Amino acid sequence: MDLDLVLITGMSGSGKSVALHALEDAGYYCVDNLPPELLTAFIALQHEQQATRVAIAMDVRSGVSLPIVPQQLEALRQDGVSLRSLFLEATTDALLRRYSETRRRHPLSRQEGRNDAPEQERVLVQAIELERELLADLRDGADVIDTSLIRPAQLQSYIKALVSAPQSALTLVFESFAFKRGVPLDADYVFDVRMLPNPHYVPALRPLTGRDAPVVEWLREHDDVARMYDDIEQFLSRWLDALARDHRSYVTVAIGCTGGQHRSVFLVEQLARAFGTRWVALKRHRELDAG
């Protein structure tokens, strides 16, 4: 019986517990902080028990044995295990804010009993930077989700969409965003469409989004919008086969405008529809989904 394995890893404070809860809701048997030394034996046990869906969380709490994980994952793939690797990312500022709100201690922080706030933040920043270095190999080749600006409900939705998508040579994720709130960390390609005509300045269109028919019709009337769509479509069409041959599993294409409401949303919807005829194409609207 085939085993569907999802590995959740990423930065401490980035939402791994939320992701595991989403997978548990989706019918996965979930294990948090499994020591890497036990991974092979654990998967063998799941095969014996004829398990079909398993999710495992691993991070820097695994300590010195963490570097063996990439080789273990490759061995599992060679053995025919259907493996999806998800890496949760967040900006340092977002992580600092979350640790300040929860008052939890970072697993790599060795500082005890200090009341000096600036010194505490300095030590925490150092721990976060070290964690990024230690997790770099696990980040490579994984589907990266930037949780800096999304709510737990959004993250749960994104996780469920990814694991429910059929396994294919390549999964495309088209993501709209607002430049005023920052560029997503999970983007493989970023396209800036702020120079395009803006429906925000049309009073009747301002409260609508790029998914609404009046905005769609208005944008389709502008040649610059059509040229931008053609340029992005041609670029991706030219390089996606090469990315698939390079054994890439996921590619995230982020399209940004000023507010993440009209132009970027419209282009994400159109591109996902077009590329969905050949590839698995998912859509995310960072700002709209937060509403």
Side-chain angles (χ1 to χ4, degrees):
M1 185 176 294
D2 292 336
L3 176 63
D4 180 7
L5 173 62
V6 177
L7 175 69
I8 298 286
T9 188
M11 301 296 294
S12 301
S14 61
K16 293 189 294 296
S17 296
V18 173
L20 278 180
H21 289 154
L23 290 167
E24 191 171 35
D25 290 343
Y28 283 78
Y29 175 68
C30 298
V31 178
D32 188 17
N33 196 23
L34 181 73
E37 296 90 342
L38 300 181
L39 178 58
T40 302
F42 176 76
I43 296 302
L45 177 61
Q46 299 309 304
H47 277 301
E48 290 178 9
Q49 296 180 345
Q50 296 187 327
T52 57
R53 289 184 166 190
V54 176
I56 297 171
M58 288 184 178
D59 52 41
V60 292
R61 292 173 294 175
S62 298
V64 296
S65 59
L66 192 64
I68 71 174
V69 175
Q71 292 84 357
Q72 290 178 316
L73 298 181
E74 181 58 30
L76 289 174
R77 290 190 177 97
Q78 294 296 325
D79 288 341
V81 174
S82 175
L83 173 63
R84 301 169 190 254
S85 182
L86 307 181
F87 188 99
L88 304 189
E89 179 68 277
T91 64
T92 298
D93 286 343
L95 295 173
L96 288 172
R97 183 177 66 252
R98 291 170 187 173
Y99 274 101
S100 175
E101 292 170 350
T102 63
R103 299 189 179 276
R104 296 187 63 184
R105 183 170 173 268
H106 192 281
L108 295 180
S109 176
R110 301 182 183 277
Q111 181 132 326
E112 301 284 356
R114 294 295 299 270
N115 295 318
D116 183 354
E119 179 64 13
Q120 286 182 338
E121 180 170 313
R122 184 187 69 80
V123 171
L124 180 54
V125 169
Q126 290 176 344
I128 291 171
E129 292 174 349
L130 175 58
E131 184 178 29
R132 290 193 197 282
E133 294 178 12
L134 295 174
L135 294 175
D137 289 341
L138 285 176
R139 193 184 193 279
D140 290 343
D143 180 34
V144 180
I145 302 177
D146 181 5
T147 70
S148 305
L149 297 173
I150 64 176
R151 297 178 293 105
Q154 286 177 266
L155 176 57
Q156 289 183 332
S157 176
Y158 293 169
I159 293 290
K160 290 177 181 178
L162 282 172
V163 299
S164 64
Q167 289 276 39
S168 66
L170 189 67
T171 296
L172 299 177
V173 179
F174 291 96
E175 180 175 12
S176 68
F177 72 95
F179 269 100
K180 65 182 182 181
R181 299 188 71 207
V183 177
L185 297 178
D186 51 11
D188 295 296
Y189 297 101
V190 178
F191 294 95
D192 183 352
V193 300
R194 286 175 291 183
M195 74 293 292
L196 298 181
N198 193 350
H200 175 80
Y201 297 109
V202 180
L205 302 180
R206 183 175 301 173
L208 303 179
T209 77
R211 293 183 293 199
D212 293 316
V215 174
V216 172
E217 294 172 3
W218 188 86
L219 288 170
R220 282 178 172 167
E221 292 173 355
H222 292 80
D223 292 339
D224 285 349
V225 177
R227 280 194 290 270
M228 177 64 76
Y229 172 88
D230 289 341
D231 286 346
I232 298 174
E233 190 274 337
Q234 290 173 18
F235 174 83
L236 294 175
S237 296
R238 183 175 298 115
W239 291 107
L240 283 179
D241 283 326
L243 288 168
R245 290 194 299 270
D246 194 41
H247 306 293
R248 291 288 297 273
S249 298
Y250 302 93
V251 172
T252 299
V253 180
I255 300 177
C257 59
T258 305
Q261 180 175 338
H262 297 109
R263 296 163 292 181
S264 61
V265 171
F266 166 79
L267 286 168
V268 161
E269 292 286 330
Q270 301 304 310
L271 289 164
R273 183 177 298 112
F275 283 93
T277 60
R278 180 179 178 189
W279 311 92
V280 176
L282 305 179
K283 297 178 293 185
R284 296 178 191 161
H285 299 297
R286 190 181 72 182
E287 322 309 342
L288 296 188
D289 293 343

